Amino acid sequence: MIGILVNKSPTVLFAGLGASAAIFSLVFKDPLVSFVAGVQLSLNDIIRPGDWVTLADQKTDGIVQEIGLITVKIKNFDNSISTVPPTVLLTNTFKNWREMVESGGRLVVKPIYVDKASVKQCTPEMLDKLRQEFPVLKDPLSGTTQPPTNTQVFRIYLEKYLEKSSEVNQQMEVRVAQMEITDRGVPIQLYFFCTNKDNKEYERIQSDIFDYAIGILPMFELVLK
């Protein structure tokens, strides 16, 4: 009908529509892609306003303020604002801390490196001294068939210490384990969850625990590497 009205062949009209669509796609490509990505973020509940997110480049780390059709506004912890296209959040890796915030604890996993030259079997005198200093070790060290090493006793004590701490979530996993030996020494890894997930308190709690662990190393005749 349009072809008859303008006295043009429908083929010419279709060709013109195709060319117009191609130009339209090129001009509005980025807004259209961002619009679709923004819809996907909202429909799939990937992020919400109020979520704490960290992008892979580590330059954007803060709270989502606004999710628009073509931009996501994030307020970083240094009070700067990052405006990120939704496509970045769909095509690149980023970390959403929502589940951690809503869970019962925030993970701490960090090693203490011990000089491997200081690792040795405990003498009966050393074990008696440690039992007197740390009564919690009396039962775990009783009935052993061979003398434990000082790293083994240290690990047992640290695990008992973490299991009694009110600042560690006891409903979540707590462990102290020796990891693969490296050039830096023997890594004793602490793995636990802080009950307080606020950044400041989280850093304080884990710092206090590691300060304490490092401070008692000499009592086990271990040397920090």
Side-chain angles (χ1 to χ4, degrees):
M1 290 176 62
I2 295 173
I4 293 172
L5 290 173
V6 298
N7 196 26
K8 295 287 185 180
S9 170
T11 304
V12 175
L13 294 176
F14 282 125
L17 287 173
S20 300
I23 295 171
F24 182 83
S25 299
L26 288 172
V27 172
F28 296 100
K29 176 185 176 182
D30 290 339
L32 286 173
V33 171
S34 295
F35 172 76
V36 173
V39 172
Q40 287 181 298
L41 288 175
S42 298
L43 288 179
N44 296 320
D45 197 26
I46 296 174
I47 60 170
R48 306 173 191 163
D51 283 354
W52 168 17
V53 297
T54 305
L55 271 62
D57 61 7
Q58 299 295 322
K59 294 179 181 178
T60 300
D61 184 18
I63 307 299
V64 177
Q65 300 290 304
E66 181 182 321
I67 303 174
L69 294 179
I70 58 175
T71 58
V72 176
K73 185 184 292 185
I74 300 170
K75 184 176 182 180
N76 298 304
F77 292 120
D78 61 1
N79 287 328
S80 63
I81 299 292
S82 293
T83 303
V84 182
T87 50
V88 171
L89 299 175
L90 284 179
T91 57
N92 297 323
T93 302
F94 77 97
K95 185 179 290 186
N96 189 331
W97 298 87
R98 184 198 309 160
E99 291 298 324
M100 181 277 295
V101 172
E102 295 176 353
S103 71
R106 184 173 174 183
L107 177 65
V108 175
V109 51
K110 188 188 296 184
I112 296 173
Y113 286 90
V114 174
D115 189 342
K116 58 186 177 183
S118 66
V119 178
K120 60 185 178 182
Q121 285 188 323
C122 296
T123 63
E125 294 76 18
M126 183 180 174
L127 288 177
D128 288 339
K129 181 180 177 181
L130 288 172
R131 288 191 184 102
Q132 291 177 7
E133 188 67 37
F134 306 109
V136 73
L137 289 174
K138 288 183 179 179
D139 291 337
L141 295 180
S142 62
T144 54
T145 57
Q146 61 182 12
T149 63
N150 51 352
T151 50
Q152 180 182 351
V153 180
F154 180 63
R155 286 188 285 107
I156 291 172
Y157 174 70
L158 279 185
E159 193 164 295
K160 295 293 182 183
Y161 172 77
L162 291 174
E163 288 173 350
K164 290 183 176 297
S165 173
S166 61
E167 295 178 312
V168 175
N169 190 323
Q170 305 303 326
Q171 305 304 315
M172 305 179 82
E173 186 174 2
V174 176
R175 71 168 184 262
V176 180
Q178 179 179 310
M179 310 306 289
E180 185 176 351
I181 298 174
T182 70
D183 293 338
R184 292 188 59 184
V186 181
I188 307 297
Q189 185 188 79
L190 281 68
Y191 183 105
F192 60 95
F193 291 83
C194 284
T195 52
N196 196 318
K197 293 160 284 186
D198 174 74
N199 270 339
K200 183 177 180 180
E201 283 302 299
Y202 167 79
E203 295 295 343
R204 180 194 63 79
I205 291 168
Q206 66 164 322
S207 296
D208 288 349
I209 289 173
F210 277 86
D211 283 347
Y212 175 75
I214 292 170
I216 63 172
L217 270 176
M219 303 181 71
F220 294 83
E221 298 184 16
L222 291 167
V223 177
L224 186 67
K225 185 67 173 179

